[in-house]
Amino acid sequence: MKYNFDEIIERRNTNSVKWDFFADNILPMWVADMDFKIAPEIQKAVTDKALSGMMGYQFLSPDFKTSTINWLKKHYHFTVSADKILPVPGMLLGVSAIIRTFLKTDEKIILQPPVYDHFFETVKNSGAETFCNDLIYRENSYSIDFDDLEEKASDPLTKFLLFCNPHNPIGKVWKEEDLRKIAEICSANNVIVISDEIHSDLVFEGFKHIPFARIAADYDLISFTLGSPCKTFNLSGLSAAYIICDQAESLEKVRKTLQQQETEWLNPFSAEAFTAAYTFGEDWMMEMKNYIFKNYLFAKSYIEEKIPQIKTVHAESTYLMWLDCRNLNLNSTILEDRLINEAQLKLNAGNRYGLAGEGFMRINIACPREILTEGLKRLENFVNSL
């Protein structure tokens, strides 16, 4: 391998949210942050920027959009023009700007729990009502409840579907038939779709990510697709993202919202990291994905053999495994607290992702195998002690 993903990096006392939020004896396997160094090609781009010694105002290089266009075309056979791309300083900031641009008083936003926990905060902060279209869990996998989605979309106060593609925390890669059914329902009911695709590059071999924007082009539908290399390349601290929208007028309205919020400009270091990731990072990404997939297989096998009380939900993407812990008969919040206090292990409680996540836990496996093994041993010892 060209890159060393087995390297143990000391991250304590570095102001790391993942490692410094809890006491030193706690092994953190929670927030979506890899324990791998970023690609040296990205390090070089950021270092070269620092060495230039010039930190004044600057325009965003055309390379930002060009690298995005080339990446989407190569990896997803999706062709998009530069005028359909709006750079934003971060995914959630982009989602919030879209919502604030079009939302009216008393309108509702559909979420599909269990889903990324910050979606709930974003909806709450917007003043909208959360409308939950819970996913259906059956035989260690999830599917969309389309009958319920259609019912909720038909409510005249429903403005948005905030969609996760691939889905965090369950690791589901939605198929074309799923995306088309969503497009049909939302088009028929004038519901705007916001598709968060930040985990799109982290799809396992044998599965295929389809940008929602590619499907939406076939329907009378306003949709916004958001992407970023931040999760793929471990750049969450250098946040940068983009919004894709076919409707020029709608995209311009969002740009004006960003301008009014004084959030239109990207940090120069973030822009350099973004462009380098999409231009030079493919080899690193492919090796990282292979390493994480092997971690997934190792963790799945370990849990099946040594912790049969827990079931692993079938994953198709991301580095976040979703664990069915309902046989432990513990509330997710209580289980999270007891793992911290009794096993010195920090996972995410499933009910953070909506009531549909009760009884589940999320574990981050984007770490060297040595750390993953230690975390699984702590989980095993805890379960055996119950």
Side-chain angles (χ1 to χ4, degrees), residues 309-369:
Q309 302 92 325
I310 294 175
K311 296 186 183 301
T312 56
V313 176
H314 176 67
E316 301 167 352
S317 64
T318 83
Y319 52 82
L320 305 163
M321 287 183 70
W322 189 237
L323 307 179
D324 183 352
C325 303
R326 291 176 297 172
N327 287 334
L328 302 183
N329 295 315
L330 289 172
N331 168 274
S332 289
T333 303
I334 292 173
L335 179 55
E336 179 183 59
D337 290 342
R338 288 189 63 177
L339 282 169
I340 292 171
N341 295 319
E342 299 174 32
Q344 290 75 54
L345 178 65
K346 167 59 178 164
L347 309 184
N348 285 126
N351 53 18
R352 289 181 51 154
Y353 308 93
L355 294 179
E358 180 55 67
F360 292 77
M361 300 294 288
R362 193 186 80 168
I363 181 171
N364 180 346
I365 60 170
C367 56
R369 182 68 57 81

Short mmCIF file of all heavy atoms in Angstrom, two decimals, residues 309-369:
data_model
loop_
_atom_site.label_atom_id
_atom_site.label_comp_id
_atom_site.label_asym_id
_atom_site.label_seq_id
_atom_site.Cartn_x
_atom_site.Cartn_y
_atom_site.Cartn_z
N GLN A 309 -25.23 -11.04 21.07
CA GLN A 309 -26.38 -10.29 21.58
C GLN A 309 -26.65 -9.03 20.74
O GLN A 309 -27.73 -8.46 20.78
CB GLN A 309 -26.15 -9.88 23.04
CG GLN A 309 -25.89 -11.06 23.98
CD GLN A 309 -24.41 -11.36 24.13
OE1 GLN A 309 -23.64 -11.22 23.18
NE2 GLN A 309 -24.01 -11.78 25.33
N ILE A 310 -25.62 -8.59 20.00
CA ILE A 310 -25.72 -7.41 19.14
C ILE A 310 -25.74 -7.86 17.69
O ILE A 310 -25.00 -8.77 17.30
CB ILE A 310 -24.54 -6.45 19.40
CG1 ILE A 310 -24.62 -5.88 20.81
CG2 ILE A 310 -24.51 -5.33 18.36
CD1 ILE A 310 -23.42 -5.02 21.18
N LYS A 311 -26.58 -7.23 16.89
CA LYS A 311 -26.64 -7.53 15.46
C LYS A 311 -26.13 -6.33 14.67
O LYS A 311 -26.44 -5.19 14.99
CB LYS A 311 -28.08 -7.86 15.04
CG LYS A 311 -28.64 -9.12 15.70
CD LYS A 311 -30.00 -9.45 15.13
CE LYS A 311 -30.59 -10.67 15.84
NZ LYS A 311 -29.73 -11.86 15.70
N THR A 312 -25.34 -6.60 13.65
CA THR A 312 -24.85 -5.52 12.80
C THR A 312 -25.82 -5.32 11.64
O THR A 312 -26.19 -6.26 10.94
CB THR A 312 -23.45 -5.84 12.23
OG1 THR A 312 -23.50 -7.09 11.53
CG2 THR A 312 -22.44 -5.94 13.36
N VAL A 313 -26.25 -4.09 11.46
CA VAL A 313 -27.13 -3.76 10.34
C VAL A 313 -26.30 -3.77 9.06
O VAL A 313 -25.19 -3.24 9.01
CB VAL A 313 -27.79 -2.38 10.54
CG1 VAL A 313 -28.62 -1.99 9.33
CG2 VAL A 313 -28.65 -2.41 11.80
N HIS A 314 -26.82 -4.42 8.04
CA HIS A 314 -26.10 -4.53 6.76
C HIS A 314 -25.73 -3.15 6.24
O HIS A 314 -26.59 -2.28 6.08
CB HIS A 314 -26.97 -5.26 5.74
CG HIS A 314 -26.35 -5.34 4.38
ND1 HIS A 314 -25.22 -6.08 4.12
CD2 HIS A 314 -26.70 -4.76 3.20
CE1 HIS A 314 -24.89 -5.96 2.85
NE2 HIS A 314 -25.78 -5.16 2.27
N ALA A 315 -24.44 -2.95 5.98
CA ALA A 315 -23.96 -1.64 5.52
C ALA A 315 -23.50 -1.72 4.07
O ALA A 315 -22.94 -2.74 3.63
CB ALA A 315 -22.82 -1.15 6.40
N GLU A 316 -23.74 -0.65 3.34
CA GLU A 316 -23.34 -0.55 1.94
C GLU A 316 -22.42 0.63 1.68
O GLU A 316 -21.89 0.78 0.58
CB GLU A 316 -24.60 -0.42 1.07
CG GLU A 316 -25.55 -1.59 1.23
CD GLU A 316 -26.94 -1.36 0.65
OE1 GLU A 316 -27.23 -0.21 0.24
OE2 GLU A 316 -27.72 -2.32 0.59
N SER A 317 -22.20 1.42 2.73
CA SER A 317 -21.38 2.64 2.56
C SER A 317 -21.06 3.22 3.93
O SER A 317 -21.57 2.77 4.95
CB SER A 317 -22.14 3.68 1.73
OG SER A 317 -23.31 4.09 2.43
N THR A 318 -20.24 4.25 3.91
CA THR A 318 -19.77 5.05 5.05
C THR A 318 -18.83 4.26 5.96
O THR A 318 -18.63 3.06 5.78
CB THR A 318 -20.92 5.67 5.91
OG1 THR A 318 -21.39 4.71 6.85
CG2 THR A 318 -22.05 6.17 5.05
N TYR A 319 -18.27 4.93 6.94
CA TYR A 319 -17.43 4.27 7.95
C TYR A 319 -18.13 4.28 9.30
O TYR A 319 -17.48 4.25 10.35
CB TYR A 319 -16.05 4.91 8.02
CG TYR A 319 -16.03 6.42 8.19
CD1 TYR A 319 -16.19 7.01 9.43
CD2 TYR A 319 -15.81 7.25 7.09
CE1 TYR A 319 -16.16 8.38 9.59
CE2 TYR A 319 -15.77 8.62 7.24
CZ TYR A 319 -15.94 9.18 8.49
OH TYR A 319 -15.90 10.55 8.63
N LEU A 320 -19.46 4.31 9.28
CA LEU A 320 -20.26 4.38 10.50
C LEU A 320 -21.17 3.16 10.56
O LEU A 320 -22.16 3.08 9.84
CB LEU A 320 -21.07 5.67 10.51
CG LEU A 320 -20.24 6.95 10.33
CD1 LEU A 320 -21.12 8.12 9.93
CD2 LEU A 320 -19.45 7.25 11.59
N MET A 321 -20.82 2.20 11.41
CA MET A 321 -21.64 0.99 11.53
C MET A 321 -22.82 1.24 12.47
O MET A 321 -22.69 1.93 13.48
CB MET A 321 -20.80 -0.18 12.04
CG MET A 321 -19.83 -0.73 11.02
SD MET A 321 -18.91 -2.17 11.64
CE MET A 321 -20.20 -3.41 11.72
N TRP A 322 -23.94 0.65 12.12
CA TRP A 322 -25.18 0.81 12.88
C TRP A 322 -25.47 -0.53 13.55
O TRP A 322 -25.62 -1.55 12.89
CB TRP A 322 -26.28 1.22 11.91
CG TRP A 322 -27.61 1.64 12.47
CD1 TRP A 322 -28.82 1.08 12.18
CD2 TRP A 322 -27.88 2.74 13.35
NE1 TRP A 322 -29.84 1.76 12.82
CE2 TRP A 322 -29.28 2.79 13.55
CE3 TRP A 322 -27.08 3.68 13.98
CZ2 TRP A 322 -29.90 3.74 14.36
CZ3 TRP A 322 -27.70 4.64 14.78
CH2 TRP A 322 -29.08 4.66 14.97
N LEU A 323 -25.50 -0.51 14.88
CA LEU A 323 -25.60 -1.74 15.66
C LEU A 323 -26.97 -1.86 16.32
O LEU A 323 -27.42 -0.94 17.01
CB LEU A 323 -24.51 -1.77 16.75
CG LEU A 323 -23.07 -1.55 16.27
CD1 LEU A 323 -22.13 -1.60 17.48
CD2 LEU A 323 -22.67 -2.60 15.23
N ASP A 324 -27.61 -3.00 16.13
CA ASP A 324 -28.90 -3.30 16.75
C ASP A 324 -28.64 -3.91 18.12
O ASP A 324 -28.26 -5.07 18.24
CB ASP A 324 -29.68 -4.26 15.86
CG ASP A 324 -31.07 -4.57 16.40
OD1 ASP A 324 -31.38 -4.16 17.54
OD2 ASP A 324 -31.85 -5.24 15.69
N CYS A 325 -28.83 -3.10 19.15
CA CYS A 325 -28.53 -3.51 20.53
C CYS A 325 -29.80 -3.76 21.34
O CYS A 325 -29.75 -3.78 22.58
CB CYS A 325 -27.67 -2.45 21.22
SG CYS A 325 -26.12 -2.08 20.38
N ARG A 326 -30.91 -3.94 20.69
CA ARG A 326 -32.18 -4.03 21.41
C ARG A 326 -32.26 -5.24 22.33
O ARG A 326 -32.98 -5.21 23.34
CB ARG A 326 -33.34 -4.02 20.41
CG ARG A 326 -33.52 -2.67 19.70
CD ARG A 326 -34.60 -2.72 18.65
NE ARG A 326 -34.27 -3.68 17.60
CZ ARG A 326 -35.11 -4.03 16.64
NH1 ARG A 326 -36.34 -3.50 16.59
NH2 ARG A 326 -34.75 -4.90 15.70
N ASN A 327 -31.50 -6.28 22.02
CA ASN A 327 -31.51 -7.46 22.89
C ASN A 327 -30.88 -7.19 24.25
O ASN A 327 -31.03 -8.00 25.18
CB ASN A 327 -30.80 -8.64 22.21
CG ASN A 327 -31.61 -9.24 21.08
OD1 ASN A 327 -32.84 -9.14 21.08
ND2 ASN A 327 -30.95 -9.86 20.12
N LEU A 328 -30.16 -6.08 24.38
CA LEU A 328 -29.56 -5.74 25.67
C LEU A 328 -30.59 -5.13 26.62
O LEU A 328 -30.30 -4.97 27.81
CB LEU A 328 -28.40 -4.76 25.48
CG LEU A 328 -27.25 -5.23 24.56
CD1 LEU A 328 -26.15 -4.18 24.52
CD2 LEU A 328 -26.69 -6.58 25.01
N ASN A 329 -31.75 -4.77 26.07
CA ASN A 329 -32.85 -4.22 26.88
C ASN A 329 -32.44 -2.98 27.67
O ASN A 329 -32.78 -2.82 28.84
CB ASN A 329 -33.38 -5.30 27.85
CG ASN A 329 -34.02 -6.45 27.11
OD1 ASN A 329 -34.79 -6.26 26.18
ND2 ASN A 329 -33.66 -7.67 27.51
N LEU A 330 -31.69 -2.11 27.00
CA LEU A 330 -31.27 -0.85 27.61
C LEU A 330 -31.65 0.30 26.69
O LEU A 330 -31.44 0.22 25.47
CB LEU A 330 -29.76 -0.83 27.84
CG LEU A 330 -29.20 -1.75 28.94
CD1 LEU A 330 -27.67 -1.74 28.89
CD2 LEU A 330 -29.68 -1.30 30.31
N ASN A 331 -32.18 1.36 27.24
CA ASN A 331 -32.41 2.59 26.50
C ASN A 331 -31.08 3.06 25.90
O ASN A 331 -30.02 2.93 26.52
CB ASN A 331 -32.99 3.64 27.45
CG ASN A 331 -32.98 5.02 26.86
OD1 ASN A 331 -31.99 5.73 26.97
ND2 ASN A 331 -34.09 5.41 26.25
N SER A 332 -31.12 3.59 24.68
CA SER A 332 -29.88 3.97 23.99
C SER A 332 -29.06 4.98 24.78
O SER A 332 -27.82 4.89 24.83
CB SER A 332 -30.21 4.55 22.61
OG SER A 332 -30.66 3.55 21.74
N THR A 333 -29.71 5.95 25.39
CA THR A 333 -28.99 6.96 26.16
C THR A 333 -28.32 6.33 27.38
O THR A 333 -27.16 6.64 27.70
CB THR A 333 -29.94 8.08 26.61
OG1 THR A 333 -30.57 8.66 25.47
CG2 THR A 333 -29.18 9.17 27.36
N ILE A 334 -29.04 5.45 28.05
CA ILE A 334 -28.47 4.75 29.21
C ILE A 334 -27.30 3.87 28.77
O ILE A 334 -26.25 3.84 29.42
CB ILE A 334 -29.55 3.91 29.91
CG1 ILE A 334 -30.58 4.83 30.56
CG2 ILE A 334 -28.93 2.98 30.96
CD1 ILE A 334 -31.78 4.11 31.13
N LEU A 335 -27.46 3.20 27.63
CA LEU A 335 -26.38 2.35 27.12
C LEU A 335 -25.15 3.18 26.78
O LEU A 335 -24.02 2.80 27.10
CB LEU A 335 -26.87 1.59 25.89
CG LEU A 335 -25.86 0.66 25.19
CD1 LEU A 335 -25.26 -0.34 26.17
CD2 LEU A 335 -26.53 -0.06 24.02
N GLU A 336 -25.36 4.32 26.15
CA GLU A 336 -24.24 5.21 25.83
C GLU A 336 -23.50 5.62 27.11
O GLU A 336 -22.26 5.56 27.17
CB GLU A 336 -24.75 6.45 25.11
CG GLU A 336 -23.66 7.45 24.73
CD GLU A 336 -24.24 8.70 24.07
OE1 GLU A 336 -25.07 9.38 24.72
OE2 GLU A 336 -23.85 8.99 22.93
N ASP A 337 -24.24 6.03 28.12
CA ASP A 337 -23.63 6.46 29.38
C ASP A 337 -22.90 5.32 30.08
O ASP A 337 -21.79 5.50 30.61
CB ASP A 337 -24.69 7.04 30.32
CG ASP A 337 -25.24 8.38 29.83
OD1 ASP A 337 -24.56 9.01 28.99
OD2 ASP A 337 -26.32 8.78 30.29
N ARG A 338 -23.50 4.15 30.08
CA ARG A 338 -22.87 3.02 30.76
C ARG A 338 -21.60 2.56 30.03
O ARG A 338 -20.62 2.16 30.67
CB ARG A 338 -23.86 1.85 30.90
CG ARG A 338 -24.95 2.13 31.94
CD ARG A 338 -25.78 0.90 32.23
NE ARG A 338 -24.99 -0.19 32.81
CZ ARG A 338 -25.49 -1.35 33.21
NH1 ARG A 338 -26.82 -1.56 33.08
NH2 ARG A 338 -24.72 -2.29 33.70
N LEU A 339 -21.61 2.64 28.71
CA LEU A 339 -20.40 2.30 27.97
C LEU A 339 -19.26 3.26 28.31
O LEU A 339 -18.10 2.85 28.44
CB LEU A 339 -20.67 2.33 26.46
CG LEU A 339 -21.41 1.11 25.89
CD1 LEU A 339 -21.85 1.36 24.46
CD2 LEU A 339 -20.51 -0.13 25.95
N ILE A 340 -19.60 4.53 28.47
CA ILE A 340 -18.57 5.51 28.85
C ILE A 340 -18.05 5.20 30.25
O ILE A 340 -16.82 5.13 30.47
CB ILE A 340 -19.13 6.94 28.79
CG1 ILE A 340 -19.43 7.35 27.35
CG2 ILE A 340 -18.15 7.94 29.43
CD1 ILE A 340 -20.17 8.66 27.22
N ASN A 341 -18.95 5.00 31.19
CA ASN A 341 -18.55 4.87 32.59
C ASN A 341 -18.01 3.49 32.96
O ASN A 341 -17.14 3.38 33.83
CB ASN A 341 -19.76 5.19 33.49
CG ASN A 341 -20.19 6.64 33.38
OD1 ASN A 341 -19.37 7.53 33.31
ND2 ASN A 341 -21.50 6.87 33.32
N GLU A 342 -18.50 2.45 32.31
CA GLU A 342 -18.11 1.09 32.68
C GLU A 342 -17.12 0.45 31.71
O GLU A 342 -16.32 -0.39 32.11
CB GLU A 342 -19.35 0.21 32.80
CG GLU A 342 -20.34 0.70 33.87
CD GLU A 342 -21.63 -0.09 33.87
OE1 GLU A 342 -21.59 -1.30 33.55
OE2 GLU A 342 -22.68 0.50 34.17
N ALA A 343 -17.17 0.85 30.44
CA ALA A 343 -16.28 0.25 29.45
C ALA A 343 -15.26 1.24 28.92
O ALA A 343 -14.38 0.86 28.14
CB ALA A 343 -17.11 -0.30 28.29
N GLN A 344 -15.36 2.51 29.32
CA GLN A 344 -14.47 3.56 28.82
C GLN A 344 -14.49 3.59 27.29
O GLN A 344 -13.47 3.68 26.62
CB GLN A 344 -13.04 3.39 29.33
CG GLN A 344 -12.85 3.66 30.81
CD GLN A 344 -13.40 2.52 31.68
OE1 GLN A 344 -13.02 1.37 31.49
NE2 GLN A 344 -14.30 2.84 32.60
N LEU A 345 -15.71 3.51 26.74
CA LEU A 345 -15.91 3.48 25.30
C LEU A 345 -17.04 4.44 24.94
O LEU A 345 -18.13 4.38 25.50
CB LEU A 345 -16.28 2.06 24.85
CG LEU A 345 -16.58 1.86 23.36
CD1 LEU A 345 -15.35 2.11 22.51
CD2 LEU A 345 -17.12 0.44 23.12
N LYS A 346 -16.79 5.33 23.99
CA LYS A 346 -17.80 6.31 23.58
C LYS A 346 -18.33 5.98 22.18
O LYS A 346 -17.60 6.06 21.18
CB LYS A 346 -17.20 7.73 23.61
CG LYS A 346 -18.04 8.80 22.92
CD LYS A 346 -19.43 8.96 23.49
CE LYS A 346 -20.16 10.09 22.76
NZ LYS A 346 -21.60 10.08 22.98
N LEU A 347 -19.60 5.58 22.13
CA LEU A 347 -20.33 5.41 20.88
C LEU A 347 -21.47 6.43 20.85
O LEU A 347 -21.67 7.15 21.83
CB LEU A 347 -20.90 3.99 20.76
CG LEU A 347 -19.94 2.81 20.98
CD1 LEU A 347 -20.68 1.49 20.73
CD2 LEU A 347 -18.72 2.90 20.09
N ASN A 348 -22.21 6.47 19.75
CA ASN A 348 -23.36 7.37 19.67
C ASN A 348 -24.65 6.62 19.94
O ASN A 348 -24.91 5.58 19.33
CB ASN A 348 -23.46 8.02 18.29
CG ASN A 348 -22.43 9.11 18.08
OD1 ASN A 348 -21.69 9.08 17.12
ND2 ASN A 348 -22.41 10.09 18.96
N ALA A 349 -25.48 7.15 20.85
CA ALA A 349 -26.78 6.57 21.13
C ALA A 349 -27.67 6.68 19.90
O ALA A 349 -27.76 7.74 19.28
CB ALA A 349 -27.43 7.27 22.32
N GLY A 350 -28.35 5.58 19.58
CA GLY A 350 -29.18 5.55 18.39
C GLY A 350 -30.33 6.54 18.41
O GLY A 350 -30.75 7.03 17.35
N ASN A 351 -30.85 6.86 19.60
CA ASN A 351 -32.00 7.77 19.65
C ASN A 351 -31.61 9.22 19.38
O ASN A 351 -32.49 10.09 19.29
CB ASN A 351 -32.76 7.64 20.97
CG ASN A 351 -31.87 7.79 22.19
OD1 ASN A 351 -30.76 8.30 22.10
ND2 ASN A 351 -32.36 7.33 23.34
N ARG A 352 -30.32 9.50 19.23
CA ARG A 352 -29.90 10.83 18.75
C ARG A 352 -30.38 11.06 17.33
O ARG A 352 -30.49 12.20 16.86
CB ARG A 352 -28.37 10.95 18.76
CG ARG A 352 -27.74 11.03 20.12
CD ARG A 352 -26.24 11.17 20.03
NE ARG A 352 -25.83 12.25 19.14
CZ ARG A 352 -24.68 12.91 19.25
NH1 ARG A 352 -23.84 12.61 20.22
NH2 ARG A 352 -24.37 13.85 18.40
N TYR A 353 -30.65 9.97 16.62
CA TYR A 353 -31.01 10.03 15.20
C TYR A 353 -32.52 9.90 15.00
O TYR A 353 -32.97 9.56 13.91
CB TYR A 353 -30.24 8.94 14.44
CG TYR A 353 -28.76 9.02 14.73
CD1 TYR A 353 -28.18 8.27 15.75
CD2 TYR A 353 -27.95 9.91 14.04
CE1 TYR A 353 -26.84 8.38 16.06
CE2 TYR A 353 -26.60 10.03 14.34
CZ TYR A 353 -26.05 9.27 15.36
OH TYR A 353 -24.72 9.41 15.66
N GLY A 354 -33.25 10.20 16.06
CA GLY A 354 -34.70 10.11 16.03
C GLY A 354 -35.18 8.92 16.84
O GLY A 354 -34.41 8.00 17.15
N LEU A 355 -36.47 8.94 17.19
CA LEU A 355 -37.02 7.85 18.00
C LEU A 355 -36.90 6.51 17.30
O LEU A 355 -36.86 5.46 17.96
CB LEU A 355 -38.48 8.15 18.33
CG LEU A 355 -38.73 9.38 19.24
CD1 LEU A 355 -40.22 9.58 19.46
CD2 LEU A 355 -38.01 9.21 20.58
N ALA A 356 -36.83 6.50 15.98
CA ALA A 356 -36.68 5.25 15.24
C ALA A 356 -35.33 4.60 15.48
O ALA A 356 -35.12 3.43 15.14
CB ALA A 356 -36.88 5.50 13.74
N GLY A 357 -34.40 5.34 16.09
CA GLY A 357 -33.08 4.79 16.39
C GLY A 357 -32.95 4.23 17.80
O GLY A 357 -31.87 3.78 18.19
N GLU A 358 -34.05 4.25 18.55
CA GLU A 358 -34.01 3.73 19.92
C GLU A 358 -33.59 2.25 19.92
O GLU A 358 -34.11 1.44 19.15
CB GLU A 358 -35.38 3.88 20.59
CG GLU A 358 -35.43 3.36 22.02
CD GLU A 358 -34.36 3.98 22.91
OE1 GLU A 358 -34.44 5.19 23.17
OE2 GLU A 358 -33.44 3.25 23.33
N GLY A 359 -32.63 1.93 20.79
CA GLY A 359 -32.14 0.57 20.90
C GLY A 359 -30.95 0.27 20.02
O GLY A 359 -30.38 -0.83 20.07
N PHE A 360 -30.53 1.26 19.22
CA PHE A 360 -29.39 1.09 18.33
C PHE A 360 -28.22 1.96 18.81
O PHE A 360 -28.40 2.86 19.62
CB PHE A 360 -29.76 1.47 16.90
CG PHE A 360 -30.75 0.54 16.25
CD1 PHE A 360 -32.10 0.60 16.57
CD2 PHE A 360 -30.33 -0.39 15.31
CE1 PHE A 360 -33.02 -0.25 15.97
CE2 PHE A 360 -31.24 -1.24 14.70
CZ PHE A 360 -32.59 -1.18 15.04
N MET A 361 -27.03 1.67 18.28
CA MET A 361 -25.84 2.48 18.55
C MET A 361 -25.08 2.65 17.25
O MET A 361 -25.12 1.78 16.36
CB MET A 361 -24.94 1.81 19.59
CG MET A 361 -25.58 1.57 20.95
SD MET A 361 -26.01 3.06 21.86
CE MET A 361 -24.39 3.65 22.35
N ARG A 362 -24.35 3.78 17.14
CA ARG A 362 -23.49 4.01 15.97
C ARG A 362 -22.04 3.98 16.39
O ARG A 362 -21.66 4.61 17.39
CB ARG A 362 -23.82 5.38 15.33
CG ARG A 362 -23.20 5.56 13.96
CD ARG A 362 -23.41 6.97 13.42
NE ARG A 362 -22.46 7.92 13.99
CZ ARG A 362 -22.26 9.16 13.55
NH1 ARG A 362 -22.97 9.61 12.54
NH2 ARG A 362 -21.37 9.95 14.12
N ILE A 363 -21.22 3.25 15.65
CA ILE A 363 -19.79 3.15 15.95
C ILE A 363 -18.99 3.57 14.72
O ILE A 363 -19.29 3.18 13.60
CB ILE A 363 -19.42 1.73 16.42
CG1 ILE A 363 -17.93 1.64 16.77
CG2 ILE A 363 -19.80 0.68 15.37
CD1 ILE A 363 -17.53 0.33 17.43
N ASN A 364 -17.96 4.37 14.94
CA ASN A 364 -17.08 4.86 13.89
C ASN A 364 -15.91 3.90 13.75
O ASN A 364 -15.14 3.69 14.69
CB ASN A 364 -16.58 6.26 14.28
CG ASN A 364 -15.65 6.87 13.26
OD1 ASN A 364 -15.15 6.20 12.37
ND2 ASN A 364 -15.40 8.17 13.40
N ILE A 365 -15.75 3.30 12.55
CA ILE A 365 -14.68 2.31 12.33
C ILE A 365 -13.56 2.87 11.45
O ILE A 365 -12.72 2.11 10.96
CB ILE A 365 -15.24 1.02 11.73
CG1 ILE A 365 -15.91 1.28 10.37
CG2 ILE A 365 -16.24 0.37 12.68
CD1 ILE A 365 -16.27 0.00 9.61
N ALA A 366 -13.51 4.19 11.25
CA ALA A 366 -12.45 4.81 10.45
C ALA A 366 -11.23 5.07 11.33
O ALA A 366 -10.94 6.20 11.71
CB ALA A 366 -12.94 6.10 9.81
N CYS A 367 -10.54 3.99 11.67
CA CYS A 367 -9.40 4.07 12.57
C CYS A 367 -8.48 2.89 12.28
O CYS A 367 -8.90 1.91 11.65
CB CYS A 367 -9.87 4.03 14.03
SG CYS A 367 -10.87 2.60 14.45
N PRO A 368 -7.24 2.95 12.74
CA PRO A 368 -6.35 1.79 12.59
C PRO A 368 -6.96 0.54 13.21
O PRO A 368 -7.68 0.62 14.21
CB PRO A 368 -5.08 2.23 13.32
CG PRO A 368 -5.10 3.72 13.22
CD PRO A 368 -6.54 4.10 13.33
N ARG A 369 -6.66 -0.62 12.64
CA ARG A 369 -7.24 -1.87 13.11
C ARG A 369 -6.97 -2.10 14.60
O ARG A 369 -7.82 -2.66 15.31
CB ARG A 369 -6.67 -3.03 12.29
CG ARG A 369 -7.23 -4.41 12.66
CD ARG A 369 -8.69 -4.56 12.30
NE ARG A 369 -8.93 -4.32 10.89
CZ ARG A 369 -8.73 -5.23 9.92
NH1 ARG A 369 -8.30 -6.44 10.23
NH2 ARG A 369 -8.96 -4.93 8.66
#
